[in-house]
Amino acid sequence: MHSTDLEFDRDHIWHPYTSTTHPLPVYPVESASGVTLQLTDGRELIDGMSSWWCAIHGYNNARLNSAAHAQIEKMSHVMFGGITHQPAVDLVKKLLALSPPHLQKVFLADSGSVSVEVACKMAFQYQVNRDKPLRQKLLTLRGGYHGDTLGAMSVCDPVTGMHTLFNKVLPQHIFADKPSASFHSNADPQQLLALDAIFEQRHEEIAAVIIEPIVQGAGGMWFYSPDYLRHLRALCDQYGVLLIADEIATGFGRTGKMFACEHAGVDPDIVCLGKAITGGYMTLAATLTSDKVADGICAKGNVMMHGPTFMGNPLACAVACASIDELLANDWQRQVHNIENQLNQELAIYRQSPNVHDVRVLGAVGVVELVAPVDVAKLQSQFVDRGVWIRPFGKNVYLMPPYIIKPEQLSRLCDAISVAL
């Protein structure tokens, strides 16, 4: 890329979570293959981010490429209102085969944030049709992240999250404390009692609970006790509240289970999927729910009040089908297990550093939480000099590599984290 194009980019293109007056530096990518990004200056970077957690098969995958080429020769898009097509039917069949059997209805959206919006609207419509019109609030957890659209922002952490600027305009929902017990611990009994109290006092206001199961992602990369999720499920059942599982970041094997709810043996009423659903090729999301919820929404002649322009996009659906086929063909459990073992071994050394607060690993996710926030621009430049692509945030330097990564490539990623210390 010519220097004038980089200047144009800096002056006119707004990148995510950055300032136009003091933009973070960007690195021009020419191509990508396997787990490497090739910059226009010829340097190659091992990708430790899976392009924000979605490129689980790496880049330039033959099966996904073939599916995209074949579909685009037929049709790239048709409206989903009044029309259906084979890629959508095939995708929904595959999603239902992977999901808990009670989930039988699928709404195909176009991004993870939109799938969260759809899930919340489902919950509200369901409760209104049950003659529970006062149930217009959501219960969620501090430390969570569910997306950047207005509805999704309203259930992100209201204090430490990235959306505090919008607190005055967002709907006001109910927040429980962030689960304090880690993944391998029993839940804190006092926190469970606090949950009990919220439900007892406010259940007539609560339409649904929305949570990131087991792994809180962009809100802090925290892995919490499955006990907490099981307790939430029991309370939802007791009080007639729906449980929404935001599996956008955790779905399709990232935590060592196909879906993170499986760690707790919990079946949610609504599930949000995105990110890895197309292996990082196309933007697509899905919201899955039960016949009970769907029929409740559509009772009394009502319809689900949502319909994105690119809903059920054939090209995205075709690639998603190929991505699921690739996942199942590649023995993803073994891939993720091997990554988890290596992350546990090679990140452990950082526990000795006085600059490190915690090191934690679950599935193909490794986190080194520092004592103090990092200088993203400076640290990213150092990572690029080391031939790796790692994008930290806050106090967290973390890895979410593609499942196909080789041990020697993962070792380079793990070793590079030393520059953050």
Side-chain angles (χ1 to χ4, degrees):
M1 182 179 287
H2 197 275
S3 60
T4 56
D5 286 330
L6 277 175
E7 292 171 4
F8 180 90
D9 185 295
R10 182 194 63 212
D11 294 340
H12 299 285
I13 300 179
W14 212 331
H15 288 267
Y17 310 122
T18 192
S19 163
T20 57
T21 55
H22 297 89
L24 293 172
V26 295
Y27 298 88
V29 174
E30 180 73 25
S31 62
S33 182
V35 298
T36 61
L37 309 175
Q38 183 164 338
L39 302 185
T40 54
D41 62 9
R43 288 183 292 176
E44 287 193 348
L45 309 180
I46 299 170
D47 179 23
M49 298 288 95
S50 299
S51 280
W52 266 339
W53 323 345
C54 63
I56 57 175
H57 312 301
Y59 303 94
N60 222 355
N61 177 278
R63 188 193 300 263
L64 275 63
N65 285 359
S66 177
H69 284 296
Q71 182 58 41
I72 207 166
E73 292 293 333
K74 298 176 183 177
M75 57 182 175
S76 59
H77 182 63
V78 290
M79 65 184 289
F80 214 47
I83 291 175
T84 193
H85 46 77
Q86 199 64 49
V89 172
D90 291 344
L91 174 58
V92 170
K93 286 180 179 178
K94 292 177 187 294
L95 291 176
L96 295 184
L98 297 177
S99 305
H102 74 288
L103 298 176
Q104 287 295 311
K105 295 294 190 289
V106 179
F107 191 100
L108 297 171
D110 43 1
S111 76
S113 293
V114 174
S115 75
V116 169
E117 300 277 352
V118 169
C120 296
K121 289 170 74 172
M122 283 181 176
F124 294 139
Q125 283 195 238
Y126 173 78
Q127 297 292 5
V128 168
N129 285 353
R130 290 181 62 230
D131 297 320
K132 300 286 186 180
L134 299 181
R135 293 195 174 204
Q136 295 294 303
K137 289 190 180 295
L138 301 166
L139 172 61
T140 190
L141 306 181
R142 296 187 183 277
Y145 172 82
H146 298 281
D148 292 344
T149 52
L150 278 170
M153 281 196 296
S154 71
V155 287
C156 296
D157 190 289
V159 178
T160 61
M162 60 180 74
H163 302 125
T164 53
L165 177 67
F166 301 97
N167 277 351
K168 301 295 185 185
V169 299
L170 293 177
Q172 298 301 301
H173 294 298
I174 303 167
F175 288 82
D177 287 341
K178 172 182 173 180
S180 59
S182 64
F183 178 77
H184 296 290
S185 305
N186 295 323
D188 180 348
Q190 293 303 312
Q191 285 199 316
L192 299 186
L193 288 173
L195 275 181
D196 294 346
I198 291 173
F199 273 86
E200 182 177 352
Q201 296 164 15
R202 306 192 67 174
H203 65 272
E204 289 296 348
E205 301 174 64
I206 303 172
V209 175
I210 179 167
I211 46 102
E212 298 160 282
I214 305 301
V215 174
Q216 290 188 308
M221 304 303 295
W222 173 243
F223 313 150
Y224 63 89
S225 171
D227 285 351
Y228 194 95
L229 187 53
R230 284 189 283 267
H231 195 74
L232 265 179
R233 174 73 273 181
L235 288 170
C236 287
D237 290 340
Q238 180 180 348
Y239 289 100
V241 172
L242 298 179
L243 179 62
I244 302 170
D246 177 352
E247 294 260 14
I248 294 164
T250 53
F252 303 101
R254 177 59 68 177
T255 68
K257 302 287 188 182
M258 181 60 73
F259 302 113
C261 281
E262 296 173 24
H263 288 288
V266 162
D267 290 339
D269 300 296
I270 302 173
V271 175
C272 301
L273 301 176
K275 288 193 181 293
I277 192 170
T278 67
Y281 270 56
M282 303 284 294
T283 179
L284 182 69
T287 308
L288 286 65
T289 193
S290 64
D291 285 331
K292 173 187 172 182
V293 173
D295 292 348
I297 291 168
C298 298
K300 306 175 185 177
N302 292 300
V303 299
M304 177 61 200
M305 294 304 298
H306 207 89
T309 300
F310 288 95
M311 182 177 178
N313 174 258
L315 185 55
C317 288
V319 175
C321 287
S323 180
I324 292 173
D325 290 344
E326 184 77 352
L327 184 70
L328 298 179
N330 278 351
D331 191 5
W332 63 269
Q333 294 100 326
R334 177 186 55 81
Q335 289 178 319
V336 172
H337 179 71
N338 289 344
I339 292 171
E340 182 177 49
N341 284 344
Q342 188 173 349
L343 288 173
N344 270 316
Q345 293 170 11
E346 298 189 15
L347 296 183
I349 189 174
Y350 297 121
R351 289 192 174 94
Q352 304 170 13
S353 170
N355 297 322
V356 171
H357 173 70
D358 189 26
V359 175
R360 48 190 179 267
V361 174
L362 182 63
V365 187
V367 184
V368 177
E369 182 183 347
L370 305 181
V371 172
V374 302
D375 181 331
V376 174
K378 178 181 177 181
L379 192 53
Q380 195 135 56
S381 174
Q382 293 174 315
F383 284 142
V384 169
D385 288 342
R386 297 283 289 264
V388 299
W389 182 251
I390 302 173
R391 188 172 179 84
F393 70 93
K395 299 177 182 179
N396 296 300
V397 183
Y398 72 96
L399 300 176
M400 275 196 179
Y403 299 168
I404 64 167
I405 195 166
K406 296 176 181 177
E408 58 271 22
Q409 294 171 317
L410 186 54
S411 288
R412 285 188 58 190
L413 289 169
C414 292
D415 181 65
I417 291 177
S418 63
V419 305
L421 309 183

